[in-house]
Amino acid sequence: MRIKLLNTALCLLFTAAGLHAQETDYGAGAANVRFIPSQGLLGGRTDFDCLRLKNHPAASGVPLGGIGAGNVQFAPDGRFVRIGMNNIHLPIRKSTGSFFTLWHRSGGTADARRLVRDTLVQYGMEGVSTTYYTGLFPRAELDPGEVFPGVKVRIRACSPLIAHNVKDSSLPLAFFDVELESAEGGETAVAFSWEDFIGRGIREPESIEGMDGQLFGQGRNNLCNGEEWPERPLEQTFARTWECGAMAGVRQFAAGPLQPKRANFQNYVDEVAVLAQTDSATRLSALTAYDLAAGDEAWEAFRRNGEFEATDDGVALLSTPGEKRCGSAVALKTTLQPGEKKTFRFMLAWYYPELKVDRRSDPPEFYWAGGSDYGRYFHNFFSGLSSLVRYGACERERLCAQTVEWQRPVLESTLPDWYKFKLINSGYVIYTNMILNKKGDVTVNEGGMGGLAGTMDQRISSHPFYQKFFTRLDRSEMMIFADAQQTRGNITHFIGHYYFGMGTVGGRIPTEEGWMIDNTGGWIIQLAKDYEQTGDMEYLRRYAGRVYNGMEFLRSLMPEGLEIPIGGTTYDDFHHPPVYSYGATIYLATLKAARVVAAAMGDEVRVKTYEEQYARTQKELIRMLWNGRFFAYGCEKDGSGRR
């Protein structure tokens, strides 16, 4: 959802009273009822232990996966939700066939429970009644306590996100460590079940006719709105037992690569591996395929003995479109001594081949001709599922340890827990929204916008996480914006589209001409900020001319006799007046940023120009919008209708 809604509502709420009445209230009435308090508290409960959530709702969880590679979310109740393995923009809401199960036998009595908090009996196994959850993106810990008397279990999930290491942060895989402890000892087993998601949730148009040009102004924006596209027809899938180094389990797969109707940035996953790490003290068994709607019989052997019945190594049918939907499972079994602790290691990995465009034979509607490639960054290093799994298994310890490194200073600080929680988890959109292709070009989806990506207005507040930890990725998007600067000097609103294509330096973007005041201002502010924090003169010098062009564009938006630019901004949920507090104040910030650039370049003429313009705009802003107590929301160009 767009972050601007609450800011707009609050701005309207606190500036509406006591000002001149007029025909329009600029949306104040609608804004003031947008958020309805519940039981006297705006936003609901506030008494959470953020670093150990008890029985928390599970509409979402910590995303696991990689930058631009797809993700799945491990939720506070032990379920998997918002499965964006194939489509990060419109993920599947939840899974009923993806879960962990604990089996234990002591004194001749055996029992199995799903490590999911619910009151259901599924496949003859109850869930658990209580869960404690710690979610610190991209890590999560689920603690259901004593599942059986004296038997404790904890699931630790992790995907690698390592500062300034793009390769290891863009892998389509997730690690799960299941830690066991038994006071009395006994036979113990853990099973990991995974629903078949191959090809599911992918959206494709009925026809690609007419998709061979710019999105805006030619009627293609609605045509390319992937939110309105129907779901891609499913294909028959298969499964078989599979070994890869020290990892073994089940490989789910389609008969061949899934061919898109039109090139896009959805993930056409055609292979998924559900794996466990074997050793001499454990026994591995696999349930190659079972019907999710009728799985009691398939799980009977595990409920009885903690192992699945042996199957041959041949290929089994998995899901059949229109008939049955299936899943697979892998289990590890061991005998624990009294008081012994043991960790079972599981892995989920997925793969899809690089989508390559044939520019000689593919029709012009099939891809965005002026832009970047449709591959993924991991395609630079891994040619198939096997090489990806081997790398993940070999580097597992390092990948998880280095992921913790950037979180440790926050967790060891004296900041309150709720703030630690927010600081770390605000970075989750780097998995759920960012597009990263094989070339290394980057853009970011804006939620609920049909697939439009690279939204410069939202970058103003959303870029700090990846600007600090993945400066290379931040600059990639900034450079595409700079390269796509329009002839008037304006920076565009978008540079790409999830279902269409993205721009690249030296090419063209499919979203030309769209702009707002804070698109140009925000880009200039972020460029100056990068320079002030890194001292990189080469990067600044490359784009200083673009800054000056942008400043000329903003000046051209000032009507005669007014020292404030007039135009649209990101805060467009409600109508705002021409002279607008946000547009005016971000222009002041832009003037300060432009002065930093001019000073670094030794351009004293522009330094003086920006300083003088700042003084005039500041004076104008105070004259028109300051009422003696606070700034007004806005007014008309002649100063009337102050609100």
Side-chain angles (χ1 to χ4, degrees), residues 305-328:
N305 294 317
E307 295 180 273
F308 296 113
E309 291 184 345
T311 58
D312 59 40
D313 295 331
V315 175
L317 292 177
L318 194 59
S319 299
T320 302
E323 295 183 20
K324 65 177 181 177
R325 189 166 182 172
C326 291
S328 307

PDB file of all heavy atoms in Angstrom, residues 305-328:
ATOM      1  N   ASN A 305       5.222 -44.555  12.417  1.00  0.00           N
ATOM      2  CA  ASN A 305       6.638 -44.896  12.624  1.00  0.00           C
ATOM      3  C   ASN A 305       7.611 -43.729  12.446  1.00  0.00           C
ATOM      4  O   ASN A 305       8.817 -43.913  12.599  1.00  0.00           O
ATOM      5  CB  ASN A 305       7.052 -46.018  11.655  1.00  0.00           C
ATOM      6  CG  ASN A 305       6.341 -47.318  11.942  1.00  0.00           C
ATOM      7  OD1 ASN A 305       6.204 -47.701  13.103  1.00  0.00           O
ATOM      8  ND2 ASN A 305       5.872 -47.988  10.896  1.00  0.00           N
ATOM      9  N   GLY A 306       7.110 -42.541  12.067  1.00  0.00           N
ATOM     10  CA  GLY A 306       8.019 -41.418  11.853  1.00  0.00           C
ATOM     11  C   GLY A 306       8.770 -41.500  10.548  1.00  0.00           C
ATOM     12  O   GLY A 306       9.772 -40.797  10.352  1.00  0.00           O
ATOM     13  N   GLU A 307       8.312 -42.352   9.639  1.00  0.00           N
ATOM     14  CA  GLU A 307       8.948 -42.492   8.332  1.00  0.00           C
ATOM     15  C   GLU A 307       7.874 -42.703   7.274  1.00  0.00           C
ATOM     16  O   GLU A 307       6.821 -43.281   7.551  1.00  0.00           O
ATOM     17  CB  GLU A 307       9.897 -43.696   8.312  1.00  0.00           C
ATOM     18  CG  GLU A 307      11.088 -43.585   9.229  1.00  0.00           C
ATOM     19  CD  GLU A 307      11.970 -44.826   9.147  1.00  0.00           C
ATOM     20  OE1 GLU A 307      11.693 -45.797   9.889  1.00  0.00           O
ATOM     21  OE2 GLU A 307      12.915 -44.827   8.333  1.00  0.00           O
ATOM     22  N   PHE A 308       8.164 -42.222   6.063  1.00  0.00           N
ATOM     23  CA  PHE A 308       7.271 -42.502   4.948  1.00  0.00           C
ATOM     24  C   PHE A 308       7.622 -43.854   4.348  1.00  0.00           C
ATOM     25  O   PHE A 308       8.766 -44.305   4.430  1.00  0.00           O
ATOM     26  CB  PHE A 308       7.391 -41.408   3.880  1.00  0.00           C
ATOM     27  CG  PHE A 308       6.954 -40.049   4.361  1.00  0.00           C
ATOM     28  CD1 PHE A 308       7.869 -39.016   4.497  1.00  0.00           C
ATOM     29  CD2 PHE A 308       5.633 -39.814   4.694  1.00  0.00           C
ATOM     30  CE1 PHE A 308       7.478 -37.761   4.939  1.00  0.00           C
ATOM     31  CE2 PHE A 308       5.214 -38.565   5.141  1.00  0.00           C
ATOM     32  CZ  PHE A 308       6.149 -37.528   5.270  1.00  0.00           C
ATOM     33  N   GLU A 309       6.634 -44.495   3.770  1.00  0.00           N
ATOM     34  CA  GLU A 309       6.876 -45.777   3.131  1.00  0.00           C
ATOM     35  C   GLU A 309       7.833 -45.600   1.966  1.00  0.00           C
ATOM     36  O   GLU A 309       7.797 -44.603   1.247  1.00  0.00           O
ATOM     37  CB  GLU A 309       5.559 -46.384   2.650  1.00  0.00           C
ATOM     38  CG  GLU A 309       4.644 -46.832   3.781  1.00  0.00           C
ATOM     39  CD  GLU A 309       3.391 -47.507   3.266  1.00  0.00           C
ATOM     40  OE1 GLU A 309       3.112 -47.368   2.053  1.00  0.00           O
ATOM     41  OE2 GLU A 309       2.692 -48.168   4.057  1.00  0.00           O
ATOM     42  N   ALA A 310       8.688 -46.587   1.773  1.00  0.00           N
ATOM     43  CA  ALA A 310       9.669 -46.526   0.697  1.00  0.00           C
ATOM     44  C   ALA A 310       8.972 -46.483  -0.659  1.00  0.00           C
ATOM     45  O   ALA A 310       7.960 -47.161  -0.883  1.00  0.00           O
ATOM     46  CB  ALA A 310      10.598 -47.729   0.770  1.00  0.00           C
ATOM     47  N   THR A 311       9.498 -45.652  -1.538  1.00  0.00           N
ATOM     48  CA  THR A 311       8.981 -45.559  -2.898  1.00  0.00           C
ATOM     49  C   THR A 311      10.127 -45.817  -3.866  1.00  0.00           C
ATOM     50  O   THR A 311      11.303 -45.678  -3.518  1.00  0.00           O
ATOM     51  CB  THR A 311       8.396 -44.161  -3.169  1.00  0.00           C
ATOM     52  OG1 THR A 311       9.417 -43.177  -2.944  1.00  0.00           O
ATOM     53  CG2 THR A 311       7.226 -43.870  -2.250  1.00  0.00           C
ATOM     54  N   ASP A 312       9.775 -46.192  -5.089  1.00  0.00           N
ATOM     55  CA  ASP A 312      10.838 -46.402  -6.071  1.00  0.00           C
ATOM     56  C   ASP A 312      11.370 -45.045  -6.523  1.00  0.00           C
ATOM     57  O   ASP A 312      10.849 -43.995  -6.174  1.00  0.00           O
ATOM     58  CB  ASP A 312      10.333 -47.222  -7.259  1.00  0.00           C
ATOM     59  CG  ASP A 312       9.155 -46.573  -7.978  1.00  0.00           C
ATOM     60  OD1 ASP A 312       9.182 -45.341  -8.145  1.00  0.00           O
ATOM     61  OD2 ASP A 312       8.218 -47.292  -8.375  1.00  0.00           O
ATOM     62  N   ASP A 313      12.421 -45.076  -7.288  1.00  0.00           N
ATOM     63  CA  ASP A 313      13.073 -43.847  -7.722  1.00  0.00           C
ATOM     64  C   ASP A 313      12.520 -43.324  -9.037  1.00  0.00           C
ATOM     65  O   ASP A 313      13.087 -42.409  -9.636  1.00  0.00           O
ATOM     66  CB  ASP A 313      14.586 -44.086  -7.867  1.00  0.00           C
ATOM     67  CG  ASP A 313      15.242 -44.398  -6.532  1.00  0.00           C
ATOM     68  OD1 ASP A 313      14.728 -43.906  -5.512  1.00  0.00           O
ATOM     69  OD2 ASP A 313      16.248 -45.129  -6.519  1.00  0.00           O
ATOM     70  N   GLY A 314      11.408 -43.868  -9.483  1.00  0.00           N
ATOM     71  CA  GLY A 314      10.831 -43.432 -10.743  1.00  0.00           C
ATOM     72  C   GLY A 314      10.084 -42.117 -10.606  1.00  0.00           C
ATOM     73  O   GLY A 314       9.885 -41.581  -9.518  1.00  0.00           O
ATOM     74  N   VAL A 315       9.637 -41.627 -11.740  1.00  0.00           N
ATOM     75  CA  VAL A 315       8.892 -40.372 -11.785  1.00  0.00           C
ATOM     76  C   VAL A 315       7.437 -40.620 -11.411  1.00  0.00           C
ATOM     77  O   VAL A 315       6.801 -41.549 -11.925  1.00  0.00           O
ATOM     78  CB  VAL A 315       8.980 -39.732 -13.185  1.00  0.00           C
ATOM     79  CG1 VAL A 315       8.099 -38.493 -13.265  1.00  0.00           C
ATOM     80  CG2 VAL A 315      10.423 -39.381 -13.516  1.00  0.00           C
ATOM     81  N   ALA A 316       6.914 -39.811 -10.502  1.00  0.00           N
ATOM     82  CA  ALA A 316       5.513 -39.913 -10.089  1.00  0.00           C
ATOM     83  C   ALA A 316       4.746 -38.700 -10.586  1.00  0.00           C
ATOM     84  O   ALA A 316       5.294 -37.593 -10.683  1.00  0.00           O
ATOM     85  CB  ALA A 316       5.423 -39.993  -8.565  1.00  0.00           C
ATOM     86  N   LEU A 317       3.483 -38.906 -10.923  1.00  0.00           N
ATOM     87  CA  LEU A 317       2.627 -37.771 -11.265  1.00  0.00           C
ATOM     88  C   LEU A 317       2.417 -36.934 -10.010  1.00  0.00           C
ATOM     89  O   LEU A 317       2.198 -37.472  -8.919  1.00  0.00           O
ATOM     90  CB  LEU A 317       1.293 -38.249 -11.808  1.00  0.00           C
ATOM     91  CG  LEU A 317       1.297 -38.942 -13.175  1.00  0.00           C
ATOM     92  CD1 LEU A 317      -0.110 -39.408 -13.524  1.00  0.00           C
ATOM     93  CD2 LEU A 317       1.831 -38.001 -14.248  1.00  0.00           C
ATOM     94  N   LEU A 318       2.465 -35.621 -10.160  1.00  0.00           N
ATOM     95  CA  LEU A 318       2.231 -34.726  -9.026  1.00  0.00           C
ATOM     96  C   LEU A 318       0.834 -34.128  -9.193  1.00  0.00           C
ATOM     97  O   LEU A 318      -0.151 -34.842  -9.047  1.00  0.00           O
ATOM     98  CB  LEU A 318       3.347 -33.672  -8.958  1.00  0.00           C
ATOM     99  CG  LEU A 318       3.456 -32.866  -7.662  1.00  0.00           C
ATOM    100  CD1 LEU A 318       3.694 -33.771  -6.459  1.00  0.00           C
ATOM    101  CD2 LEU A 318       4.583 -31.833  -7.763  1.00  0.00           C
ATOM    102  N   SER A 319       0.733 -32.894  -9.565  1.00  0.00           N
ATOM    103  CA  SER A 319      -0.589 -32.260  -9.720  1.00  0.00           C
ATOM    104  C   SER A 319      -1.087 -32.401 -11.149  1.00  0.00           C
ATOM    105  O   SER A 319      -0.326 -32.232 -12.108  1.00  0.00           O
ATOM    106  CB  SER A 319      -0.511 -30.779  -9.339  1.00  0.00           C
ATOM    107  OG  SER A 319      -0.124 -30.623  -7.993  1.00  0.00           O
ATOM    108  N   THR A 320      -2.374 -32.678 -11.282  1.00  0.00           N
ATOM    109  CA  THR A 320      -3.015 -32.793 -12.583  1.00  0.00           C
ATOM    110  C   THR A 320      -4.055 -31.690 -12.704  1.00  0.00           C
ATOM    111  O   THR A 320      -4.991 -31.634 -11.894  1.00  0.00           O
ATOM    112  CB  THR A 320      -3.691 -34.162 -12.749  1.00  0.00           C
ATOM    113  OG1 THR A 320      -2.711 -35.187 -12.591  1.00  0.00           O
ATOM    114  CG2 THR A 320      -4.349 -34.280 -14.118  1.00  0.00           C
ATOM    115  N   PRO A 321      -3.910 -30.759 -13.645  1.00  0.00           N
ATOM    116  CA  PRO A 321      -4.837 -29.627 -13.756  1.00  0.00           C
ATOM    117  C   PRO A 321      -6.290 -30.075 -13.807  1.00  0.00           C
ATOM    118  O   PRO A 321      -6.653 -30.985 -14.557  1.00  0.00           O
ATOM    119  CB  PRO A 321      -4.407 -28.957 -15.071  1.00  0.00           C
ATOM    120  CG  PRO A 321      -2.979 -29.348 -15.246  1.00  0.00           C
ATOM    121  CD  PRO A 321      -2.865 -30.729 -14.683  1.00  0.00           C
ATOM    122  N   GLY A 322      -7.107 -29.452 -12.979  1.00  0.00           N
ATOM    123  CA  GLY A 322      -8.529 -29.750 -12.963  1.00  0.00           C
ATOM    124  C   GLY A 322      -8.906 -31.010 -12.229  1.00  0.00           C
ATOM    125  O   GLY A 322     -10.097 -31.296 -12.061  1.00  0.00           O
ATOM    126  N   GLU A 323      -7.928 -31.800 -11.772  1.00  0.00           N
ATOM    127  CA  GLU A 323      -8.245 -33.055 -11.103  1.00  0.00           C
ATOM    128  C   GLU A 323      -7.740 -33.089  -9.663  1.00  0.00           C
ATOM    129  O   GLU A 323      -8.518 -33.231  -8.730  1.00  0.00           O
ATOM    130  CB  GLU A 323      -7.660 -34.230 -11.898  1.00  0.00           C
ATOM    131  CG  GLU A 323      -8.292 -34.396 -13.277  1.00  0.00           C
ATOM    132  CD  GLU A 323      -7.744 -35.608 -14.001  1.00  0.00           C
ATOM    133  OE1 GLU A 323      -7.188 -36.499 -13.330  1.00  0.00           O
ATOM    134  OE2 GLU A 323      -7.861 -35.669 -15.239  1.00  0.00           O
ATOM    135  N   LYS A 324      -6.444 -32.963  -9.472  1.00  0.00           N
ATOM    136  CA  LYS A 324      -5.946 -32.992  -8.100  1.00  0.00           C
ATOM    137  C   LYS A 324      -4.723 -32.107  -7.948  1.00  0.00           C
ATOM    138  O   LYS A 324      -3.960 -31.900  -8.889  1.00  0.00           O
ATOM    139  CB  LYS A 324      -5.615 -34.417  -7.663  1.00  0.00           C
ATOM    140  CG  LYS A 324      -4.470 -35.080  -8.410  1.00  0.00           C
ATOM    141  CD  LYS A 324      -4.187 -36.463  -7.832  1.00  0.00           C
ATOM    142  CE  LYS A 324      -3.022 -37.142  -8.557  1.00  0.00           C
ATOM    143  NZ  LYS A 324      -2.699 -38.451  -7.941  1.00  0.00           N
ATOM    144  N   ARG A 325      -4.594 -31.589  -6.736  1.00  0.00           N
ATOM    145  CA  ARG A 325      -3.469 -30.739  -6.367  1.00  0.00           C
ATOM    146  C   ARG A 325      -2.669 -31.483  -5.303  1.00  0.00           C
ATOM    147  O   ARG A 325      -3.231 -31.941  -4.306  1.00  0.00           O
ATOM    148  CB  ARG A 325      -3.967 -29.399  -5.834  1.00  0.00           C
ATOM    149  CG  ARG A 325      -2.889 -28.367  -5.621  1.00  0.00           C
ATOM    150  CD  ARG A 325      -3.512 -27.008  -5.431  1.00  0.00           C
ATOM    151  NE  ARG A 325      -2.514 -25.964  -5.266  1.00  0.00           N
ATOM    152  CZ  ARG A 325      -2.792 -24.667  -5.240  1.00  0.00           C
ATOM    153  NH1 ARG A 325      -4.064 -24.289  -5.369  1.00  0.00           N
ATOM    154  NH2 ARG A 325      -1.848 -23.778  -5.079  1.00  0.00           N
ATOM    155  N   CYS A 326      -1.387 -31.585  -5.505  1.00  0.00           N
ATOM    156  CA  CYS A 326      -0.577 -32.450  -4.657  1.00  0.00           C
ATOM    157  C   CYS A 326       0.548 -31.700  -3.964  1.00  0.00           C
ATOM    158  O   CYS A 326       0.824 -30.537  -4.239  1.00  0.00           O
ATOM    159  CB  CYS A 326       0.002 -33.593  -5.486  1.00  0.00           C
ATOM    160  SG  CYS A 326      -1.234 -34.781  -6.042  1.00  0.00           S
ATOM    161  N   GLY A 327       1.195 -32.401  -3.068  1.00  0.00           N
ATOM    162  CA  GLY A 327       2.374 -31.917  -2.388  1.00  0.00           C
ATOM    163  C   GLY A 327       3.370 -33.041  -2.234  1.00  0.00           C
ATOM    164  O   GLY A 327       3.096 -34.196  -2.575  1.00  0.00           O
ATOM    165  N   SER A 328       4.544 -32.702  -1.707  1.00  0.00           N
ATOM    166  CA  SER A 328       5.596 -33.676  -1.434  1.00  0.00           C
ATOM    167  C   SER A 328       6.118 -33.425  -0.035  1.00  0.00           C
ATOM    168  O   SER A 328       5.911 -32.352   0.540  1.00  0.00           O
ATOM    169  CB  SER A 328       6.739 -33.538  -2.445  1.00  0.00           C
ATOM    170  OG  SER A 328       6.275 -33.591  -3.773  1.00  0.00           O
TER     171      SER A 328
END
